[in-house]
Amino acid sequence: MSGPLEGKVALVAGATRGAGRGIAAELGAAGATVYVTGRSTRAHRSEYDRPETIEDTADLVSAAGGHGIAVPVDHLDRSAVRALVDRVADEQGRLDVLVNDIWGGEKLFEWDTPVWEHDLDNGLRLLRLAVETHAVTSHFALPLLLRHPGGLVVEVTDGTAAYNRDTYRVNLFYDLAKASVLRMAFALGHELGPRGATALALTPGWLRSEIMLDAFGVREENWRDALDREPHFAISESPRFVGRAVAALAGDPDVARFNGQSLSSGGLAQEYGFTDLDGSRPDAWRYLVEVQDAGKPADVTGYR
């Protein structure tokens, strides 16, 4: 292995697909050892019943130049999370980057449905999967991360603090989950900053996850074919874009300047100079405010 993160150890919790997979792969491309967790394995699918697995993600990490290690974990299972962290401690003796990307809610929320009409069990499970899992993982992993100065915690969410403050996001359960993760990063910043570590919230833009591509009936190779159906999809980004944001943060010796803040992949691309796979720098959250939410025709000129 070689790269700016050679010798560093990362844990990407929720790395089966989407942003987690892209983040794990880019940390691997930077030379890190990356533990990837999730509930979907080659032997057993989660309730998502999709083909992506943590073993596939680990293989991507290794192929990119790092060392990928797949560990099946349900992050609501405290004993399993404790065992995961004990394994990382035994095998590596350190943890430099923790990425909390656990979500699992695509099949649990209902668009624009008020709380009294929304399925209550699904809404409450969404909150457990999207919020409780992050807290459980941080509880067990942060003592290991704090063994060495300079550790980084990335809380992955949907939306910047500024955007979510003023925008209703889908329904009460979804809105609360994404706001909670933003606040979690803020609180962790207060707890970790004085102890030599950094916590921050990070959002991708309109993510071309496997599930999103399937919804539009396209693949990463021909994603622009979806623009006839949804022209604003032109601002979308691959999961590797947010992955490059995390890799840049993890390699920044002055990353503490972002402690407790809410950041976006598009904003960090301007900060660090990285691009998406196609060489562009999509700035989705600025586009959403200034173009899509403003009711203007789709035009990404000046936004990617």
Side-chain angles (χ1 to χ4, degrees):
M1 293 184 294
S2 63
L5 298 183
E6 182 178 1
K8 300 294 186 181
V9 179
L11 165 58
V12 182
T16 309
R17 59 185 67 84
R21 174 171 284 192
I23 291 167
E26 288 297 332
L27 288 170
T33 293
V34 188
Y35 286 78
V36 299
T37 68
R39 296 173 296 154
S40 296
T41 69
R42 289 171 182 165
H44 176 74
R45 290 189 179 189
S46 73
E47 69 267 22
Y48 271 76
D49 194 28
R50 290 189 54 85
E52 302 88 17
T53 70
I54 56 171
E55 293 93 343
D56 294 340
T57 301
D59 288 347
L60 287 173
V61 172
S62 297
H67 181 202
I69 303 170
V71 185
V73 177
D74 179 345
H75 285 261
L76 287 174
D77 183 339
R78 299 179 188 184
S79 62
V81 177
R82 183 187 294 110
L84 164 69
V85 175
D86 287 345
R87 175 177 172 178
V88 176
D90 290 343
E91 294 178 354
Q92 310 296 335
R94 65 185 301 134
L95 178 62
D96 302 287
V97 181
L98 170 62
V99 180
N100 274 323
D101 183 52
I102 311 150
W103 164 232
E106 273 87 358
K107 296 185 177 182
L108 296 173
F109 67 86
E110 303 166 31
W111 285 91
D112 300 321
T113 301
V115 65
W116 58 90
E117 295 178 3
H118 197 288
D119 184 281
L120 183 58
D121 288 337
N122 284 347
L124 294 177
R125 175 145 177 89
L126 183 151
L127 291 176
R128 292 199 71 205
L129 287 170
V131 180
E132 183 178 332
T133 55
H134 290 223
V136 169
T137 305
S138 292
H139 174 83
F140 289 108
L142 291 185
L144 178 58
L145 183 132
L146 288 169
R147 284 188 187 179
H148 298 87
L152 172 66
V153 177
V154 179
E155 289 286 339
V156 181
T157 188
D158 175 23
T160 63
Y163 187 85
N164 286 7
R165 182 187 61 236
D166 299 327
T167 308
Y168 170 68
R169 303 303 311 279
V170 181
N171 62 50
L172 179 145
F173 296 107
Y174 189 97
D175 197 302
L176 181 57
K178 299 310 180 181
S180 295
V181 174
L182 284 162
R183 192 66 186 183
M184 194 176 296
F186 175 79
L188 285 173
H190 278 267
E191 296 177 358
L192 293 178
R195 296 171 170 85
T198 298
L200 53 87
L202 177 62
T203 179
W206 193 338
L207 191 71
R208 293 197 300 274
S209 66
E210 298 86 351
I211 293 174
M212 183 62 68
L213 291 172
D214 284 352
F216 280 112
V218 295
R219 302 178 305 279
E220 179 60 29
E221 294 76 16
N222 68 328
W223 68 268
R224 291 183 180 276
D225 291 349
L227 300 188
D228 289 339
R229 175 177 169 186
E230 175 46 79
H232 290 298
F233 196 53
I235 197 61
S236 66
E237 63 196 56
S238 80
R240 300 296 285 266
F241 191 54
V242 71
R244 291 174 178 179
V246 174
L249 289 164
D252 184 353
D254 193 29
V255 70
R257 71 188 188 278
F258 295 123
N259 189 43
Q261 293 185 29
S262 162
L263 308 172
S264 70
S265 51
L268 288 175
Q270 302 301 319
E271 176 78 19
Y272 290 112
F274 62 84
T275 67
D276 203 348
L277 297 175
D278 62 1
S280 69
R281 295 191 179 100
D283 191 354
W285 295 101
R286 186 167 62 90
Y287 177 89
L288 283 173
V289 171
E290 298 176 4
V291 180
Q292 185 169 335
D293 292 355
K296 297 179 181 179
D299 182 359
V300 297
T301 303
Y303 295 95
R304 62 175 312 143

